[in-house]
Amino acid sequence: MLVLQLCTCAETVPVRVMIGTREAFLAPAPVFDGTRVLAPVSVLDSLGATRTDSSDGKISITSALGKTSEIETVNVNSSPMLPMDKVAQAIGADATWDAEKRTFTMLARLESVEFVDDTLKINCSLPVSY
């Protein structure tokens, strides 16, 4: 019982979320709850994803490449937050957590390369600047 109380009372610490080499400046700030990084739902805008909210605390996410997944939100100080490991998995991104620097980084995965109508198309799991 005491262990359960310690887990539910764990404090959150602010963290950085990097999308490629750019920091995602989000409000409220992303946090680490001792086991995972949580970011506000608005992080999806930076990832080229769209969302549909439902009344049961879940969000349906559609990635830039059309992959759809459902993720349950977590309330942090009355703000709905998304577990970033689940977001990375849902949109097909690679993710790393650096505990020392308190930084969560998401990198785009190369999905395909094609030549269409005299245009080279490089499709990635996240929007990539060039």
Side-chain angles (χ1 to χ4, degrees), residues 19-82:
I19 300 170
T21 58
R22 294 188 199 156
E23 183 169 359
F25 293 100
L26 304 164
V31 296
F32 180 70
D33 70 357
T35 57
R36 60 191 171 180
V37 173
L38 302 166
V41 175
S42 62
V43 72
L44 297 174
D45 298 335
S46 302
L47 301 172
T50 58
R51 72 175 195 263
T52 305
D53 300 341
S54 66
S55 60
D56 62 354
K58 292 183 180 178
I59 291 179
S60 178
I61 298 172
T62 303
S63 74
L65 295 176
K67 295 180 185 176
T68 302
S69 187
E70 197 170 83
I71 299 177
E72 192 165 337
T73 60
V74 177
N75 279 325
V76 176
N77 298 325
S78 301
S79 294
M81 306 281 255
L82 294 171

